[in-house]
Amino acid sequence: MAPRTRLFARLMRLVEKGIEEVEDLPAHRAKRVRLQRSAVGQRIFGRVHAHATQQEITIGSGSRALVHRPTGVAGPLPCVVNFHGGGWVQGNPEQSGWLASGVAVGARAVVISPSYRLAPDAPFPAGVEDCWDALTWVVDHADELGVDPSRISLMGDSAGGNLAAVMTLLARDAGGPEIRSQVLVYPGVEMYDRWPSEDRNAEAPVLTSRNMRAYVRLYLDAQHGTEDFRASPIRAASHAGLPKAFILTAEHDPLLDNGSRYRDALVEAGVPVRYVEYEGAIHGFLSLPGVVPVARRALDDIVDFLRATA
């Protein structure tokens, strides 16, 4: 682990409560937004790429989304629909700005990052429904967005990786929209089973085992215990016929085995998968380029994958 990553981890332990200890969730979310917008936050979370534009739009039934485009590139372009992380409880499209704009420039694509309703105010499956509405809205409005509706890829990190995986399953089962590829960044694909990486990294920076379990309870609420694949995509009856996948995991992450076991499930079903475990990385590292150096290599890897598949 890089020295700056270790320092960041120590500071996080001093100043940040685990989600299981948070009593005022709206205030907790607002605090995170203030940090994102601060000068220090921009050094930690990164800035929008200098050669990308950022536009806020309203999609579907009124959800907010950020659109990142490479400057000076004519369309229609491939489109990446990107779902943000945050344990289905917090987070926003802005936290993906560094990643989304970097992908837009590197892959010469339009990256659309929608918001979705958050638990516990809107528990499962509200977030799933919102993401599906966003995906279908993007395809239906491809012309006005300047994107090619036959070249749609999905991307998401952590809870967003869960949602991206679920969207590919729903799209396959519905007979469309056609998804060219999926990028799953340290995805959570299983709600209940405890795998070795969770024990090995139970007190890891950013995400602990206790955090994981609290997020699941908040997200599923009264449906805790459901085996619905829309909650746990690894529990789908079949993973055959899904689009090519790139799964990224972090060495110091309790969710590491979620990614590696989903890789195994896809490969067993005949789905082409690229898989990389990033040494020295922590959960959330692609939202933390200022403190996790390997984030820049991971961004390059995503761009290479999308260039070849999108």
Side-chain angles (χ1 to χ4, degrees), residues 105-165:
V105 172
R108 298 169 69 87
V110 175
V111 181
I112 301 176
S113 303
S115 60
Y116 50 89
R117 286 173 291 169
L118 300 173
D121 307 299
F124 172 84
V128 171
E129 293 167 350
D130 288 355
C131 291
W132 179 253
D133 287 347
L135 172 59
T136 55
W137 186 91
V138 166
V139 174
D140 290 343
H141 293 79
D143 286 346
E144 65 191 75
L145 292 167
V147 303
D148 183 343
S150 69
R151 301 180 70 189
I152 303 290
S153 296
L154 300 181
M155 180 169 70
D157 63 294
S158 194
N162 166 284
L163 292 165

Side-chain angles (χ1 to χ4, degrees), residues 162 165-166 169 188-191 193 195 228-229 231-239 257-266:
N162 166 284
V166 171
L169 288 159
V189 299
E190 164 57 39
M191 292 290 139
D193 288 348
W195 292 325
D228 190 330
F229 77 85
S232 300
I234 201 167
R235 293 177 181 250
S238 170
H239 295 91
D257 286 346
N258 271 243
S260 65
R261 293 195 181 213
Y262 202 62
R263 169 203 61 195
D264 295 345
L266 294 183

